[in-house]
């Protein structure tokens, strides 16, 4: 489809009308007239080819000027808008970044394993609006809802331990996630909440936040991360150095199951890196919604053929002027 970036320049084509009129008027004024009683002796004489070429030179010049005006209007190749079906939804990733996430029952630890799987999950969701919420003793919207996967992946990889006050405020993390996703345009809205502990601080109770999510039609998938039994947790010794001590893994699975059940989601227990990856793969397969997406390709200038036409007309006039219509001074 051809489109003109500046169609208003085509009005300059109207200037060719007075230019043609001036040529006709000038032609009649420049040629002498001869009065004779009869023209019968000249009836059999045809107009020579060179005489027609003289008018042809003017015609070439008019075409050249018209082509230059079209170039000024910037013809462009533009693809049409097209509609396609794709799968998309609104998703919030709520990640626990309390210090217990540094436990090394995952490789290299829970924190890095969760970030790695979350980044891979985001990379595979091309048409989704995704946001990131982090929580510990408080909650924070790290990335608002966006389809910019590069932005999301880069931020997830740059999340650092200690960005928030330490503790575990699951209810606040869920409430912040709900506040961010509630105005999303997709029919399907879901929150993936990953934690390794129990709610021990915050202003909002986890079940209260779950009730709000239920009323708004937001599904919550909860993931408890940590193997069964004991796990090496980081602790600061008397010399201020971090050492790892085996401690019982305590996850409030009952609350996480309640949140998931109330909202129509599902609870998962991730006991190692592979299981965590499989959980995100299952959620990825569950959260699919068909959407109508408008696609548009880039616009490119397409004036080069017109430039070649103008150049060719100019060269043709010069050649004819200096060969067939060459005059002796």
């Amino acid at each position: 489809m051809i489109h003109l970036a500046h169609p208003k320049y085509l009005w300059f084509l109207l200037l060719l009308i007075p230019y043609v009129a001036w040529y006709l008027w000038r032609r009649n004024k420049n040629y002498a007239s001869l009065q004779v009683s009869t023209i019968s002796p000249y009836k059999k004489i045809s107009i020579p080819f060179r005489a027609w070429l003289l008018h042809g030179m003017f015609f070439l010049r008019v075409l050249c000027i018209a082509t230059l005006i079209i170039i000024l209007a910037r013809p462009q190749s533009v693809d049409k808008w097209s509609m396609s079906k794709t799968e998309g939804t609104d998703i919030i990733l709520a990640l626990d970044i309390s210090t217990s996430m540094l436990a090394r029952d995952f490789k290299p630890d829970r924190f890095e394993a969760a970030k790695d799987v979350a980044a891979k999950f985001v990379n595979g969701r091309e048409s989704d609006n995704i946001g990131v919420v982090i929580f510990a003793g408080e909650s924070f919207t790290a990335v608002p809802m966006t389809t910019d996967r590069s932005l999301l992946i880069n931020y997830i990889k740059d999340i650092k331990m200690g960005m928030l006050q330490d503790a575990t405020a699951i209810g606040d993390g869920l409430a912040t996630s709900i506040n961010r996703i509630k105005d999303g345009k997709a029919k399907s809205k879901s929150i993936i909440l990953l934690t390794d502990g129990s709610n021990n601080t915050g202003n909002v109770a986890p079940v209260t936040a779950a009730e709000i999510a239920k009323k708004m039609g937001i599904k919550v998938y909860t993931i408890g991360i940590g193997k069964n039994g004991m796990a090496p947790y980081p602790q600061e010794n008397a010399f201020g150095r971090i050492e790892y001590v085996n401690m019982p893994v305590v996850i409030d699975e009952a609350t996480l199951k309640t949140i998931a059940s109330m909202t129509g989601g599902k609870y998962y227990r991730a006991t190692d890196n592979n299981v965590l990856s499989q959980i995100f793969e299952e959620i990825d397969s569950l959260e699919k919604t068909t959407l109508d997406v408008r696609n548009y390709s880039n616009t490119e200038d397409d004036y080069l053929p017109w430039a070649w036409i103008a150049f060719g007309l100019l060269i043709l006039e010069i050649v004819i002027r200096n060969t067939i219509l060459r005059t002796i001074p």
Side-chain angles (χ1 to χ4, degrees):
M1 177 179 172
I2 300 298
H3 168 78
L4 296 177
H6 305 296
K8 58 187 177 183
Y9 285 120
L10 294 181
W11 287 104
F12 284 123
L13 292 173
L14 295 177
L15 296 176
L16 295 178
I17 296 175
Y19 182 51
V20 172
W22 173 81
Y23 173 79
L24 295 175
W25 176 82
R26 179 173 171 272
R27 173 178 173 274
N28 292 331
K29 295 285 289 183
N30 287 350
Y31 289 93
S33 60
L34 178 65
Q35 292 183 352
V36 293
S37 58
T38 179
I39 61 171
S40 57
Y42 305 101
K43 285 184 177 180
K44 295 182 180 181
I45 300 176
S46 61
I47 299 175
F49 175 69
R50 286 165 59 91
W52 287 112
L53 275 182
L54 286 172
H55 300 305
M57 294 300 95
F58 175 75
F59 180 70
L60 289 176
R61 198 172 304 120
V62 169
L63 287 180
C64 187
I65 294 172
T67 304
L68 291 175
I69 292 172
I70 293 174
I71 292 173
L72 284 175
R74 285 186 65 190
Q76 298 174 328
S77 297
V78 181
D79 292 337
K80 295 180 180 179
W81 285 100
S82 61
M83 299 296 295
S84 63
K85 295 285 186 180
T86 188
E87 294 179 330
T89 184
D90 290 340
I91 298 174
I92 287 286
L93 293 174
L95 304 178
D96 185 348
I97 64 167
S98 57
T99 54
S100 59
M101 287 288 288
L102 293 175
R104 291 187 172 177
D105 49 350
F106 282 66
K107 296 180 181 179
D109 53 46
R110 296 173 185 174
F111 183 59
E112 292 299 327
K115 291 201 302 179
D116 181 60
V117 174
K120 290 179 180 178
F121 175 81
V122 168
N123 190 50
R125 307 287 298 197
E126 296 184 2
S127 303
D128 295 329
N129 277 314
I130 300 177
V132 178
V133 169
I134 55 177
F135 66 93
E138 54 191 334
S139 61
F140 174 72
T141 301
V143 183
M145 303 292 290
T146 180
T147 57
D148 190 336
R149 288 182 298 160
S150 297
L151 172 66
L152 289 161
I153 293 170
N154 289 334
Y155 189 89
I156 290 172
K157 290 182 177 180
D158 288 339
I159 295 175
K160 299 291 190 298
M161 186 62 64
M163 293 175 69
L164 300 175
Q165 181 181 355
D166 196 30
T168 305
I170 296 174
D172 285 7
L174 182 54
T176 301
S177 301
I178 294 169
N179 189 49
R180 280 300 174 188
I181 201 173
K182 66 180 181 179
D183 296 324
K185 296 181 179 180
K187 293 180 180 179
S188 175
K189 298 179 177 63
S190 57
I191 296 170
I192 303 173
L193 187 145
L194 186 148
T195 183
D196 69 341
S198 303
N199 189 79
N200 54 28
T201 188
N203 299 315
V204 182
V207 175
T208 301
E211 290 174 349
I212 297 172
K214 179 182 179 181
K215 291 179 181 179
M216 293 185 174
I218 301 169
K219 286 187 289 185
V220 182
Y221 295 93
T222 54
I223 302 174
I225 181 170
K227 73 175 186 178
N228 297 313
M230 308 288 284
Y233 283 87
Q235 283 192 348
E236 188 175 324
N237 61 22
F239 301 99
R241 296 179 181 177
I242 298 296
E243 59 182 21
Y244 287 83
V245 179
N246 281 329
M247 297 176 63
V249 176
V250 179
I251 300 174
D252 189 356
E253 290 191 288
T255 299
L256 296 179
K257 288 178 180 178
T258 299
I259 293 171
S261 177
M262 288 178 61
T263 60
K266 189 175 180 180
Y267 169 71
Y268 299 91
R269 177 67 183 269
T271 54
D272 58 40
N273 295 66
N274 291 332
V275 174
L276 183 60
S277 297
Q278 292 170 8
I279 289 170
F280 271 87
E281 287 175 5
E282 181 175 337
I283 295 174
D284 181 62
S285 65
L286 291 173
E287 284 303 313
K288 299 289 187 181
T289 302
T290 302
L291 301 173
D292 290 328
V293 177
R294 298 184 74 195
N295 302 308
Y296 190 67
S297 60
N298 293 329
T299 299
E300 296 182 359
D301 287 329
D302 198 20
Y303 60 82
L304 189 60
W306 295 96
W308 279 111
I309 292 173
F311 181 73
L313 292 171
L314 181 61
I315 294 298
L316 181 61
E317 181 181 358
I318 293 173
V319 170
I320 295 176
R321 284 285 185 190
N322 289 278
T323 55
I324 301 174
L325 296 180
R326 184 178 182 182
T327 57
I328 299 176

